[in-house]
């Protein structure tokens, strides 16, 4: 064990030299060695690799992914703790919500330096097309961060120029130069330019465009393989050609941005590093549109594992990788495939008897990375049913360390008490004991409920009757926290504190909690084709929503064993075909709620609001109810925000009209 631990420490120190604090902004880039150079002590040194994370921009373009502003801020906080150098927080011109999210990240996360090896805050970037309105909007959003960047782009491949932009090469150079100059005129000194579809662009023309934007004031040049077309040899050759043939190449930082359409994103990115790139654009878990982007964890751990191969080092805290990966997965709903490199469930599992024997004798026989290096929680028994509150708190603090979870739990004593109650219930039922992964699951479930998304409904109790010869029946009791009932809900149904009398009742994890202030209890029952269908139908009746469709439903065990915690993830979206007329039957009574299972989420962006919910419990039916209610709360919150934004827009328009009339 001692030799393995020292080996892990040795790798970390080799891939991450103890250099002075590095400012990733181009204002300080001139002092950072590029393709050749030495450290201040005149000894050969590896060059700093800037980690540019675009999970909140390119990652959110994944089909079906919709993040609230609060979720984006939470992810950005964790990326800052992880040690990310640049966070592309969004596309501010895209919507008012995106602008506000980027602005909040700039204000709330931009100044943070906690757990950052450089001692300097993360650069907050905003994306903009090569259009003045876009660039102005991006600057207005990111300018509040101590270190901020404008990232502007324009397509350069002939196919894009001819069919999409319908402009000449000369016009392309003019627009690109004007965009960078306008960004500089706003007072922004950190400007990144991306020639979209560079992987299929003519190299000589790329050199012309890039030389022009360097003269205009660009400080980082990003070379995107937009459609994931290139092979590692091709992409590496492009980077090498551009860095050696572009006028002023030594004045800027060169960056990679690779997509995974052919499964080559990480290989292409590493090829770019070997040929002169000193910034990599990546996402957690490799999320992104189509087949995704280069995965942050894969690039970082490749450098960590091969410290003598790559001419760069990073300042990522690798022990924050697992918790960052899990946070992004849970907030985006993008499930990680079990065999995903570094963070997949099977990444450190061994089924073969030969492999198991080798690992038991010495881990490095079949493990090139220690699980602890990425902060992976163990399956070892950590607590039991006799553990007290203080032991529980101490263990939670130990496994969380300095993470966004720790902050949220420390700021919410009530959430801790509910978490402890959930732990005691699990410890009483799980004979094999409670593991770190169990604690992570309970913690995520509790903090997901207590997130900044307004909680309109909370599960109180659940009772199921089901079998192969009877119709499934679900009786559900909810706490209505809206204060005035749910929009369009059925009349108030007061009910006793627990469903009456039947054996086999399933209580939720919140069943023993005191009623929240101002809460109204509502109860209803429904039948269905199975227990989950019955539960969701009963909840639909209670909340009075008839226009949501269930897009996906997933259930899995958190750990091994038949008594393991069950985790459920659901995704719902609005049904555009629902109308006010369809909500009433021929007698004028409220129609029965619609419950439709669709095979895929909506494919047309901007038409339907999508929300996902999570639920964890020893009973997968209770977990299903929790997840569905959580999704409904999120959908209602989105609708509220949309209505508020529309009202604000109407008020602004009315004010403008009044001012015009007065003039």
């Amino acid at each position: 064990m001692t030799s393995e631990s020292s080996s892990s420490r040795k790798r970390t120190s080799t891939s991450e030299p103890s250099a002075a604090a590095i400012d990733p902004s181009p204002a300080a880039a001139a002092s950072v060695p590029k393709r050749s150079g030495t450290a201040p002590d005149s000894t050969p040194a590896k060059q700093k690799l800037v980690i540019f994370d675009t999970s909140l921009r390119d990652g959110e373009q994944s089909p079906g992914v919709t993040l609230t502003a609060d979720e984006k801020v939470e992810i950005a906080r964790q990326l800052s703790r992880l040690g990310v150098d640049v966070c592309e927080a969004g596309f501010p011109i895209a919507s008012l919500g995106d602008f506000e999210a980027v602005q909040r990240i700039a204000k709330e996360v931009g100044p943070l330096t906690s757990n950052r090896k450089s001692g300097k805050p993360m650069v907050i970037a905003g994306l903009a097309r090569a259009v003045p309105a876009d660039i102005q909007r991006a600057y207005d959003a990111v300018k509040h961060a101590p270190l901020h960047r404008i990232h502007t782009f324009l397509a350069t491949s002939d196919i894009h120029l001819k069919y999409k932009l319908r402009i000449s090469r000369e016009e392309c150079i003019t627009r690109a130069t004007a965009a960078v100059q306008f960004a500089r005129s706003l007072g922004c000194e950190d400007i990144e330019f991306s020639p979209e579809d560079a992987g299929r662009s003519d190299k000589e023309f790329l050199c012309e465009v890039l030389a022009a934007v360097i003269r205009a004031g660009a400080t980082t040049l990003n070379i995107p393989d937009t459609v994931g077309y290139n092979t590692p040899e091709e992409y590496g050759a492009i980077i090498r050609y551009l860095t050696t043939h572009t006028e002023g190449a030594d004045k800027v930082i060169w960056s990679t941005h690779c997509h995974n359409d052919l499964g080559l994103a990480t290989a292409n990115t590493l090829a770019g590093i070997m040929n002169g790139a000193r910034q990599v654009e990546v996402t957690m878990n490799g999320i992104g549109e189509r087949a995704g982007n280069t995965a942050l964890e894969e690039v970082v751990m490749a450098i960590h594992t091969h410290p003598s191969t790559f001419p760069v080092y990073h300042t990522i805290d690798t022990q924050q990788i697992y918790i960052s990966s899990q946070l992004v997965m849970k907030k985006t709903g993008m499930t990680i495939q079990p065999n995903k490199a570094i963070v997949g469930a099977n990444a450190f599992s061994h089924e073969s008897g030969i492999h198991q024997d080798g690992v038991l004798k010495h881990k490095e026989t079949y493990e090139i990375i220690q699980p602890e290096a990425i902060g992976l929680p163990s399956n070892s028994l950590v607590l039991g049913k006799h553990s007290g509150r203080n032991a529980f708190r101490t263990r939670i603090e130990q496994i969380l360390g300095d993470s966004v979870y720790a902050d949220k739990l420390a700021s919410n004593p009530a959430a801790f008490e509910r978490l402890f109650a959930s732990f005691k219930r699990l410890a009483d039922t799980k004979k094999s004991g409670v593991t770190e992964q169990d604690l992570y699951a309970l913690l995520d479930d509790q903090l997901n409920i207590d997130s900044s998304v307004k909680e309109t409904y909370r599960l109180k109790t659940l009772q199921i009757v089901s079998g192969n010869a009877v119709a499934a029946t679900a009786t559900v009791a909810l706490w209505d926290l809206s204060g005035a009932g749910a929009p369009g809900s059925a009349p108030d149904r007061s009910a006793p504190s627990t469903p009456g009398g039947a054996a086999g009742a399933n209580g939720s994890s919140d069943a023993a909690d005191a009623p929240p202030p101002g809460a109204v209890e509502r109860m209803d029952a429904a039948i269905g084709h199975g227990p989950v269908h019955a539960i969701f139908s009963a909840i639909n009746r209670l909340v009075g929503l008839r226009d949501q469709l269930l897009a996906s439903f997933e259930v899995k065990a958190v750990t091994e064993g038949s008594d393991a915690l069950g985790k459920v993830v659901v995704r719902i979206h609005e049904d555009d075909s629902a109308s006010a007329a369809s909500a009433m039957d021929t007698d004028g009574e409220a129609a029965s709620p619609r419950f439709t299972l669709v095979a895929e989420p909506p494919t047309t962006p901007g038409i339907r609001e999508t929300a996902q919910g999570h639920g964890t419990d020893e009973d997968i039916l209770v977990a299903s109810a929790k997840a569905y209610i959580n999704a409904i709360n999120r959908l209602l919150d989105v609708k509220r925000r949309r209505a508020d934004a529309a009202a604000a827009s109407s008020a602004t328009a009315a004010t403008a009209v009044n001012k015009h009339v007065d003039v």
Side-chain angles (χ1 to χ4, degrees):
M1 180 62 70
T2 303
S3 64
E4 291 160 2
S5 299
S6 62
S7 174
S8 178
R9 288 194 298 270
K10 182 178 179 181
R11 288 175 181 167
T12 302
S13 62
T14 304
S15 62
E16 300 170 12
S18 55
I22 303 242
D23 184 346
S25 66
S31 64
V32 180
K34 292 183 177 61
R35 287 174 297 282
S36 63
T38 58
D41 61 1
S42 297
T43 59
K46 290 179 178 291
Q47 298 161 20
K48 172 72 169 70
L49 180 67
V50 177
I51 305 296
F52 180 115
D53 186 277
T54 183
S55 300
L56 297 178
R57 200 277 303 169
D58 208 334
E60 200 195 11
Q61 293 178 204
S62 303
V65 173
T66 302
L67 297 170
T68 67
D70 295 308
E71 289 170 332
K72 289 184 178 182
V73 171
E74 184 177 352
I75 291 173
R77 285 181 181 275
Q78 183 56 35
L79 293 177
S80 177
R81 278 190 171 89
L82 177 63
V84 165
D85 297 301
V86 184
C87 171
E88 188 168 50
F91 196 176
I93 196 68
S95 68
L96 177 61
D98 219 26
F99 174 84
E100 292 176 345
V102 176
Q103 189 177 61
R104 279 188 57 190
I105 290 171
K107 291 179 178 179
E108 299 175 27
V109 184
L112 302 180
T113 58
S114 175
N115 199 52
R116 296 186 61 79
K117 295 179 183 180
S118 67
K120 296 181 180 294
M122 185 166 64
V123 177
I124 307 301
L127 185 68
R129 294 169 297 181
V131 178
D134 280 36
I135 296 170
Q136 181 69 59
R137 192 68 165 164
Y139 179 71
D140 290 341
V142 303
K143 66 182 180 182
H144 306 280
L147 300 176
H148 51 267
R149 174 182 296 187
I150 293 175
H151 179 193
T152 186
F153 68 96
L154 183 66
T156 54
S157 67
D158 288 333
I159 191 170
H160 277 247
L161 295 179
K162 180 178 180 180
Y163 294 105
K164 187 180 78 171
L165 299 178
R166 298 180 181 178
I167 61 175
S168 64
R169 287 185 171 188
E170 292 72 21
E171 177 64 17
C172 175
I173 295 175
T174 300
R175 289 190 185 185
T177 303
V180 174
Q181 289 174 336
F182 181 69
R184 292 286 294 187
S185 72
L186 298 176
C188 183
E189 298 180 351
D190 188 348
I191 301 169
E192 177 172 335
F193 176 78
S194 291
E196 186 184 6
D197 202 25
R200 294 189 297 174
S201 298
D202 177 71
K203 292 180 182 179
E204 292 184 2
F205 176 60
L206 269 180
C207 288
E208 290 184 53
V209 176
L210 297 176
V213 296
I214 291 173
R215 290 191 295 269
T219 50
T220 298
L221 297 183
N222 180 50
I223 310 304
D225 180 18
T226 304
V227 293
Y229 174 77
N230 296 126
T231 64
E233 291 77 10
E234 290 172 333
Y235 189 75
I238 291 172
I239 297 294
R240 188 188 315 114
Y241 183 89
L242 295 178
T243 56
T244 55
H245 290 77
T246 302
E247 181 184 347
D250 60 333
K251 300 177 182 178
V252 297
I253 293 176
W254 292 84
S255 173
T256 68
H257 181 108
C258 300
H259 282 264
N260 205 38
D261 298 71
L262 296 177
L264 298 172
T266 298
N268 286 349
T269 297
L270 295 176
I273 293 172
M274 295 299 291
N275 285 278
R278 292 300 176 260
Q279 175 180 285
V280 291
E281 299 200 355
V282 293
T283 61
M284 284 305 309
N285 304 331
I287 63 173
E289 56 187 337
R290 302 189 315 278
N293 292 49
T294 304
L296 178 151
E297 65 276 7
E298 294 177 10
V299 172
V300 167
M301 295 311 294
I303 296 170
H304 173 91
T305 308
H306 294 279
S308 61
T309 301
F310 297 97
V312 296
Y313 71 95
H314 60 76
T315 51
I316 293 292
D317 180 358
T318 62
Q319 292 188 345
Q320 293 281 334
I321 285 178
Y322 180 78
I323 198 168
S324 302
S325 167
Q326 290 293 298
L327 179 64
V328 170
M329 178 191 72
K330 290 160 185 171
K331 296 304 180 185
T332 62
M334 296 286 290
T335 303
I336 301 172
Q337 65 194 63
N339 62 331
K340 167 75 173 66
I342 313 299
V343 294
N346 295 344
F348 297 97
S349 298
H350 303 276
E351 187 72 22
S352 165
I354 296 175
H355 288 203
Q356 290 175 345
D357 179 66
V359 169
L360 289 173
K361 291 176 179 176
H362 194 283
K363 286 187 176 181
E364 290 190 2
T365 54
Y366 289 102
E367 287 187 356
I368 61 173
I369 301 170
Q370 300 300 319
E372 298 81 4
I374 65 167
L376 183 70
S378 71
N379 270 322
S380 59
L381 176 64
V382 294
L383 293 169
K385 64 180 181 180
H386 298 298
S387 301
R389 184 176 276 97
N390 288 337
F392 176 73
R393 183 186 296 274
T394 299
R395 190 56 184 157
I396 284 290
E397 291 174 350
Q398 288 174 348
I399 65 174
L400 291 184
D402 182 22
S403 71
V404 68
Y405 280 133
D407 284 350
K408 294 184 71 174
L409 196 60
S411 64
N412 194 338
F416 174 81
E417 293 302 321
R418 286 193 290 272
L419 179 64
F420 180 68
S422 298
F423 155 71
K424 295 296 282 187
R425 281 191 288 273
L426 178 62
D428 283 336
T429 59
K430 191 175 182 186
K431 296 180 180 179
S432 58
V434 181
T435 69
E436 285 188 6
Q437 290 189 4
D438 289 323
L439 293 181
Y440 266 118
L442 290 175
L443 183 68
D444 182 69
D445 183 58
Q446 188 58 60
L447 294 184
N448 195 51
I449 292 173
D450 290 308
S451 68
S452 51
V453 174
K454 179 176 173 58
E455 187 181 17
T456 305
Y457 299 102
R458 181 184 299 173
L459 179 64
K460 184 179 186 295
T461 57
L462 168 65
Q463 178 175 303
I464 296 292
V465 177
S466 184
N468 65 344
V470 297
T473 305
T475 303
V476 180
L478 303 179
W479 290 120
D480 182 345
L481 310 179
S482 61
S489 64
D492 188 350
R493 298 178 177 90
S494 297
S497 59
T498 57
N506 302 313
S508 80
S509 64
D510 294 321
D513 290 354
V520 176
E521 184 182 342
R522 303 190 185 280
M523 181 182 288
D524 208 336
I527 61 173
H529 302 301
V532 174
H533 185 201
I535 291 168
F536 290 2
S537 296
I539 293 172
N540 281 352
R541 289 172 59 87
L542 282 168
V543 304
L545 289 176
R546 300 175 177 82
D547 58 349
Q548 74 271 21
L549 299 178
L550 179 66
S552 64
F553 175 90
E554 298 176 17
V555 59
K556 65 178 181 178
V558 173
T559 55
E560 295 181 351
S562 59
D563 58 354
L565 278 173
K567 182 174 180 63
V568 174
V569 179
V570 301
R571 180 178 287 122
I572 63 176
H573 61 73
E574 295 176 302
D575 179 16
D576 300 319
S577 65
S579 64
S582 67
M584 305 298 291
D585 64 17
T586 55
D587 297 323
E589 298 293 334
S592 58
R594 303 183 73 250
F595 181 88
T596 307
L597 178 63
V598 294
E600 296 292 340
T603 56
T604 306
I607 293 181
R608 297 166 172 169
E609 295 290 355
T610 302
Q612 64 179 8
H614 303 259
T616 304
D617 200 272
E618 309 93 280
D619 188 326
I620 60 172
L621 296 179
V622 175
S624 299
K626 284 184 177 181
Y628 194 60
I629 292 170
N630 183 242
I632 287 174
N633 283 336
R634 290 173 179 271
L635 186 61
L636 291 174
D637 190 65
V638 169
K639 287 185 174 183
R640 268 191 296 268
R641 293 171 186 267
R642 186 172 59 187
D644 291 344
S649 178
S650 298
T652 301
T655 301
V657 170
N658 290 337
K659 287 182 178 180
H660 179 72
V661 171
D662 291 340
V663 173

